[in-house]
Amino acid sequence: MNTAGATPTETPLLTVLIAAHNEAEALPVLHPRLREALASLGGVRTRVLYVDDGSSDETWAQLLLLAAGDPQVGLLRLSRNFGKEAALTAGLDHVEDGAVVILDADGQDPPELITEFVRLWREGYDNVHGTRIQREGESWLKRSTAHAFYRVIGRLSATPIPADTGDFRLLSPRSVAALKQLRERHRFMKGLFGWVGYRQISVPYRREPRVAGDSKFGFWRLWNFALEGITSFSTAPLRATTYVGVLTALLAFAFALWVVLKAVLWGDPVAGWPTMMAVILMLGGVQLVALGLIGEYLGRLYDESKQRPIYLVDVWQPGEAGVCLPE
Ligand code: UDP
Ligand code: MG
């Protein structure tokens, strides 16, 4: 059942990609809502692809249940928990053609917005992303640190990374093909989406609270994620240490000159233990910070050099593409 005259291969395919880690409670709530949103889409064939990112709860059983009752559901299970970025990469790699919508499993990204995404895709946009104008049900600390992070990364990164924009977006087939070529192990997807370029547009939306369960990103994980983002997309911190070094050396030189002149002109005794300790400790601190920074980059280089796969697949069960409703 296709739109007048179009053969199945001509009708565009849209895959909704959902990474899930311990989302057994949220999935049964999200899936019917998603199906309803997709049912109203005309002129595209749709498919839903769930990636179970090494869940330790009933997520996989839930997914099997969903797939049993719905032939358009594809399932991918990773061999362990690889993290959301790797899970999304795995999903994208298993999409052979068509566009992709990335959605969170917890209902925080409204599936109803997909209609608008598809409309803009038809207008020729390649990367239609949802930008959060409001975040509900998230702590003040999370909102303010997220706000600050997007501003910092936006300034540091050479390629644009839209502020307050998560992974919730539609990617055109050529954007998906481009992303598949980026095989780095330390993956900061928001940066990679921006790196790809093409025509981008943002759609504002209100981020709702989770439908069930807890966020998988605690403070420590978010902090590491922020470091990942900065080190993956900017070498500005390395450059900054050079400037700190130059500044410290200049200050040290001026101080030394002052100490020598004071001794020569006024015959002052050479400054003693407290000054010495202050200078040594300060220099030591600056050097350790610089070393740590180099270490951050070197560690990532080491990981890349190992050339390990980004994820391993345990089970792959492709779903069928759904029928296409007339527009
Ligand atoms: N997620 C994942 N692997 C992980 C952690 C999270 O696939 O290791 C998924 C999770 O199931 C959800 C999405 O990534 O669908 C976003 O996670 P979460 O809601 O915990 O993040 P938040 O919205 O709090 O930033
Ligand atoms: Mg969430």
Side-chain angles (χ1 to χ4, degrees):
M1 202 172 72
N2 288 295
T3 39
T7 64
T9 45
E10 277 168 347
T11 318
L13 175 66
L14 180 75
T15 304
V16 179
L17 170 59
I18 301 169
H21 175 65
N22 292 347
E23 302 283 7
E25 291 164 48
L27 287 171
V29 185
L30 175 79
H31 191 71
R33 193 174 151 197
L34 175 62
R35 291 308 286 150
E36 203 173 315
L38 292 182
S40 62
L41 278 180
V44 282
R45 291 174 297 143
T46 55
R47 196 168 78 113
V48 184
L49 174 57
Y50 287 103
V51 182
D52 178 1
D53 183 19
S55 299
S56 52
D57 68 351
E58 293 300 301
T59 298
W60 183 246
Q62 282 292 346
L63 288 177
L64 286 174
L65 216 65
L66 289 182
D70 187 342
Q72 287 152 37
V73 170
L75 300 182
L76 185 65
R77 184 186 191 180
L78 303 186
S79 65
R80 61 169 172 85
N81 178 238
F82 281 90
K84 186 183 179 188
E85 317 287 298
L88 289 180
T89 308
L92 286 174
D93 287 347
H94 286 77
V95 173
E96 270 164 22
D97 64 330
V100 173
V101 166
I102 298 174
L103 195 75
D104 273 4
D106 57 8
Q108 286 199 284
D109 306 328
E112 294 75 25
L113 217 60
I114 296 176
T115 320
E116 177 67 4
F117 283 8
V118 170
R119 190 183 67 75
L120 289 164
W121 170 40
R122 286 213 175 97
E123 279 185 16
Y125 287 100
D126 294 281
N127 182 337
V128 187
H129 44 257
T131 297
R132 305 151 181 171
I133 44 170
Q134 201 175 345
R135 301 167 77 116
E136 283 159 35
E138 286 175 322
S139 70
W140 173 85
L141 185 69
K142 176 148 185 178
R143 276 182 287 133
S144 50
T145 45
H147 181 86
F149 169 70
Y150 281 115
R151 267 78 203 160
V152 170
I153 188 89
R155 294 201 126 212
L156 291 183
S157 165
T159 47
I161 298 177
D164 304 324
T165 300
D167 297 321
F168 181 35
R169 63 186 66 222
L170 181 146
L171 299 166
S172 72
R174 63 174 178 169
S175 296
V176 175
L179 270 171
K180 285 186 193 176
Q181 294 178 42
L182 308 180
R183 304 312 295 176
E184 58 218 74
R185 267 106 206 121
H186 285 272
R187 306 181 72 77
F188 179 64
M189 294 303 273
K190 298 175 209 359
L192 299 182
F193 297 138
W195 186 92
V196 164
Y198 295 133
R199 297 188 63 200
Q200 313 204 2
I201 190 165
S202 86
V203 178
Y205 77 104
R206 295 159 71 98
R207 190 159 160 90
E208 295 159 32
R210 271 181 157 267
V211 292
D214 294 317
S215 171
K216 311 293 176 288
F217 289 87
F219 187 76
W220 184 240
R221 202 163 169 180
L222 277 178
W223 168 250
N224 283 309
F225 186 63
L227 279 186
E228 200 75 272
I230 291 169
T231 49
S232 300
F233 276 84
S234 172
T235 47
L238 288 178
R239 175 103 26 96
T241 53
T242 316
Y243 293 129
V244 171
V246 169
L247 191 74
T248 322
L250 283 178
L251 285 177
F253 183 73
F255 181 65
L257 209 65
W258 182 67
V259 170
V260 170
L261 280 182
K262 211 169 62 153
V264 171
L265 294 181
W266 297 289
D268 263 9
V270 178
W273 193 80
T275 353
M276 195 95 104
M277 276 317 277
V279 170
I280 290 178
L281 288 179
M282 195 193 106
L283 280 183
V286 168
Q287 282 169 357
L288 282 181
V289 169
L291 268 181
L293 249 169
I294 298 173
E296 286 288 332
Y297 285 90
L298 191 66
R300 283 172 173 80
L301 198 63
Y302 171 59
D303 281 344
E304 293 297 335
S305 72
K306 285 189 275 195
Q307 296 276 313
R308 287 187 187 157
I310 298 167
Y311 57 85
L312 285 181
V313 174
D314 179 17
V315 183
W316 168 225
Q317 186 178 311
E320 293 166 20
V323 291
C324 169
L325 302 173
E327 278 182 69

